[in-house]
Amino acid sequence: MTVRRSIAGIDSPEALAEAMRAAQYLADEGLSTAAYLALALGKPLLLEGAPGVGKTEAAKALAAVLGRDLVRLQAYEGLDAASAMYEWNFPRQMLAIRQAGDAYVNLYGDDFLIARPMLLALQRPRERLLLIDEIDRSDHEFEAFLLEFLSDFSLSIPERGTIRAAEPPVVVLTSNRTRELHEALRRRCVYHWIGYPDPQLEAQIVMMRASAVARDTAHRVVAAVGKLRAEPLAKPPGVAETVEWAEAATLLNAQGAPWPAAFARAIGVVLKDQDDLAFVAPRLDRILAGAA
Amino acid sequence: MTPRALDPFLAFPRALRAEGFLAAPAQVESFLAAVGLLGPRSIQDVRRAAHAIFGPGPDRRQEFDDLFDTIFLGRAFLAPGEATSEEAPRAFDAGDQEEFLPPEDEDPSGREASRRERLFARSFAVGDETALLSAFARALPGALPRRRSRRFGAARRGVADPRRALRELARHDGEMLQLPVRRRQARQRRVLTLIDVSGSMKGSTDAALRIAHTIVRTAERAETFTLGTRLTRVTRALRRRNRDQALALASGLVADWDGGTRLGEALSVFLSVPRFAGFARGALVIVVSDGLERGGPEALVAAMTRLRSLAWRIVWLSPLAADATWRPETGAMRAILPLIDHLDAGGDLVAMAGALVGRAALLRAGPFQ
């Protein structure tokens, strides 16, 4: 195991948190520690959490901090090797055969190889950050295949041999935890569970993301969202919804709507499920009043 | 760091393993490296490193932290289930052991049998179900659910296979005689059978084991466990071709025939062994039980929720459901009903075989559902 104490000038969890703050992402201590360890130990970072807590955003911020391009692979059921790793450019190969005539032509050169996210990350590990998003959506076979990739960071292409990364690329995996990931996969990763941020942090996030929102409004929104999350909803609001709610209410308020009413009118931004809306409706006033 | 100071760092992974957490040697190595990287300036750094490397899920976070406190801070704590832990069911896998040893010798812990358990082996009643079971075996492969494999295979119909087409071209000097096509292949889903062998199931366990034997023999990948006051893996025994031999072997392994029911606890033991829990992943899970649970339903509901997140479908066969007027009345059964995909009768061979290859519509649901 190779341990690099300092990556791109970042030598502690605090330095990483500071750099991510500059990239418009507020990371708590747990996340910055896990992310720093992942970078230092050269292991993939597995982020789990409810939808909308900022898992993908964390990966983007990490890419910005390291000054790397984000290569994103969205997982889905039925994801196959051709869209995850590489593909041969068959029309071009056919053309090459025709044009070559009797001459020798190397059909498996770089010209004919279309690199997909996983291969892209291996080719330039210092310039790219691979994000494998919503890994829980993929099927078990892809997960098993991923194991091999994540443990030795190599891919074998039958026509070309094995392609190995010069150094372990930075890989971030996210999961909504709709199903449990395989233990073998978790074992290879540095893990962090992103929960909903505490109210103080969430208010800071709101103010950072939506600059037009006043401090009071931010705290009010965060308090109201906190109460909504305590309700048994089908889809509790995430951080992104909190930010949108604050923005929407601020907009309505600027057009003359008084405060609690502005929040109530913008409720569609934060609750996007008819059953949830109907469930909360009778108590919405109380939830908002407590927040004001 | 003196060797003595290193002690808790090595004791912690051991304690984690004992509690069913994941702690592979490579993770321990990473943990030590991580602690070194972070300073460590305070015990919080060590804790964060432990969280990041061993990755306890949010549902077991508290347990993990308690364990951490015990090892690193020397803080004694009493887990909620502490008082009953001596009676808690343990996992028992006879799979890798000598087949004909008496079960007492095979038991890895040797102490798992609590006084309250009634341990006695029971011989199976021999009936003439051969015809029924072979009919079941013939119908089963067609009824078992399949999933789409990640691999492509040559097929008669499907989409063009450029890779093979190109090789074909190269082989025939640029002439293509026939366009090769490919298609995603199908594989049988794993079948996991969990059989309740408690006293209230006395009349049905024999039939359930016969069905399980047929499934193990017929399906491509199948696993069978019995649940009672403890958990026993009987897959290996049931792999024998001769049914009577297989059942005799299995009945010898199961030490908790007709004991009390601790279904919830037995299930959570099953889920806490990573290798066993892996059997449920993406599988068709068949539970043969009447769902009569001693004590509150909390443990059973928690275990079923976890099983639900692992399994593809859960079929529950209950001998009680044979009665058309029966409704799930017990708290446990009502609570887990939403987690079950299909509830059917499971009292005898005919009912079980009928439920699995006949009525359970989900078993027949399309080849790739």
Side-chain angles (χ1 to χ4, degrees), chain B residues 220-234:
Chain B
E220 282 170 18
R221 290 176 302 166
E223 287 291 339
T224 306
F225 289 81
T226 62
L227 310 172
T229 46
R230 66 177 205 178
L231 177 78
T232 314
R233 180 171 179 237
V234 292

Side-chain angles (χ1 to χ4, degrees), chain B residues 29-49:
Chain B
E29 196 190 337
S30 301
F31 174 55
L32 293 175
V35 170
L37 271 171
L38 293 177
R41 289 152 304 184
S42 72
I43 195 72
Q44 280 310 318
D45 281 340
V46 182
R47 188 190 298 272
R48 278 188 216 114

Side-chain angles (χ1 to χ4, degrees), chain A residues 1 3 5 13-14 29 33-34 36-37 40-41 43 78-81 86 88 90 93-94 97 108 140-142 145 158-159 177 179-183 186-187 189-191 193, chain B residues 22 24 26-27 29-30 33-34 36-38 41 48-49 51-53 55-59 61 147 149-152 162-163 165-167 169 184 187 274 281-282 306 309-310:
Chain A
M1 186 166 39
V3 177
R5 193 165 273 276
E14 289 75 22
E29 283 181 325
T33 308
Y36 169 70
L37 288 179
L41 299 174
K43 281 172 175 285
L79 178 65
D80 61 353
Y86 70 94
W88 289 109
F90 294 108
Q93 284 177 323
M94 303 259 184
I97 292 179
Y108 299 109
H140 300 292
E141 289 212 355
F142 180 73
F145 160 74
E159 294 85 354
R177 209 156 194 264
R179 68 175 174 82
E180 284 203 30
L181 297 180
H182 204 288
E183 281 78 8
R186 298 166 64 109
R187 207 173 65 209
C189 299
V190 175
Y191 175 89
W193 168 263
Chain B
L22 203 64
Q27 279 174 299
E29 196 190 337
S30 301
L37 271 171
L38 293 177
R41 289 152 304 184
R48 278 188 216 114
H51 279 161
I53 300 298
D59 43 350
R61 190 73 167 260
R147 63 175 172 80
S149 156
R150 205 171 60 86
R151 293 178 195 286
F152 284 92
R163 196 172 202 144
L166 188 79
R167 287 180 184 281
L169 276 183
R184 295 283 280 276
R187 278 204 84 170
R281 201 173 288 281
R306 271 202 71 201
S309 73
L310 286 170

Side-chain angles (χ1 to χ4, degrees), chain A residues 150-169:
Chain A
L150 293 179
S151 51
D152 43 353
F153 294 111
S154 66
L155 280 181
S156 27
I157 303 179
E159 294 85 354
R160 288 280 290 269
T162 303
I163 296 183
R164 213 171 288 282
E167 63 174 81

Side-chain angles (χ1 to χ4, degrees), chain B residues 42-310:
Chain B
S42 72
I43 195 72
Q44 280 310 318
D45 281 340
V46 182
R47 188 190 298 272
R48 278 188 216 114
H51 279 161
I53 300 298
F54 296 112
D59 43 350
R60 297 192 74 187
R61 190 73 167 260
Q62 188 57 48
E63 213 183 314
F64 185 90
D65 280 344
D66 286 343
L67 209 57
F68 184 91
D69 290 349
T70 319
I71 303 279
F72 284 97
L73 306 178
R75 193 178 294 161
F77 72 97
L78 198 68
E82 188 87 11
T84 59
S85 71
E86 202 174 311
E87 298 170 9
R90 311 245 171 133
F92 176 52
D93 176 7
D96 304 328
Q97 292 159 0
E98 217 21 71
E99 285 186 344
F100 283 100
L101 285 176
E104 284 76 15
D105 295 340
E106 293 175 328
D107 188 352
S109 69
R111 280 178 291 115
E112 104 300 334
S114 81
R115 277 175 229 101
R116 301 223 325 248
E117 284 180 4
R118 297 164 60 210
L119 300 171
F120 52 93
R122 192 180 64 165
S123 63
F124 287 100
V126 183
D128 183 29
E129 312 95 345
T130 312
L132 177 71
L133 283 175
S134 52
F136 175 65
R138 279 195 305 278
L140 196 62
L144 282 177
R146 294 177 162 266
R147 63 175 172 80
R148 210 176 340 186
S149 156
R150 205 171 60 86
R151 293 178 195 286
F152 284 92
R156 207 171 281 171
R157 278 184 300 172
V159 291
D161 185 348
R163 196 172 202 144
R164 274 173 58 224
L166 188 79
R167 287 180 184 281
E168 197 79 348
L169 276 183
R171 202 170 292 140
H172 296 110
D173 293 336
E175 293 298 327
M176 180 134 47
L177 305 172
Q178 195 184 10
L179 182 68
V181 291
R182 62 177 194 170
R183 200 179 201 176
R184 295 283 280 276
Q185 290 171 324
R187 278 204 84 170
Q188 255 180 27
R189 281 185 187 273
R190 196 184 284 115
V191 185
L192 172 68
T193 316
L194 302 171
I195 301 171
D196 182 353
V197 292
S198 62
S200 57
M201 286 291 293
K202 205 170 188 171
S204 308
T205 47
D206 176 60
L209 272 167
R210 277 160 205 272
I211 289 285
H213 173 248
T214 312
I215 293 175
V216 168
R217 291 286 312 164
T218 316
E220 282 170 18
R221 290 176 302 166
E223 287 291 339
T224 306
F225 289 81
T226 62
L227 310 172
T229 46
R230 66 177 205 178
L231 177 78
T232 314
R233 180 171 179 237
V234 292
T235 315
R236 184 77 169 260
L238 293 182
R239 284 216 184 104
R240 307 211 126 216
R241 187 197 218 130
N242 185 301
R243 188 160 58 236
D244 293 326
Q245 270 183 23
L247 294 199
L249 215 54
S251 84
L253 292 177
V254 181
D256 50 349
W257 285 116
D258 307 340
T261 317
R262 278 199 292 265
L263 198 54
E265 287 172 42
L267 265 180
S268 50
V269 167
F270 170 78
L271 291 167
S272 68
V273 180
R275 189 165 66 97
F276 291 172
F279 293 147
R281 201 173 288 281
L284 169 70
V285 178
I286 302 168
V287 186
V288 185
S289 170
D290 50 14
L292 294 179
E293 174 81 326
R294 192 189 297 162
E298 297 79 21
L300 182 59
V301 173
M304 282 300 288
T305 312
R306 271 202 71 201
L307 189 63
R308 169 74 274 174
S309 73
L310 286 170

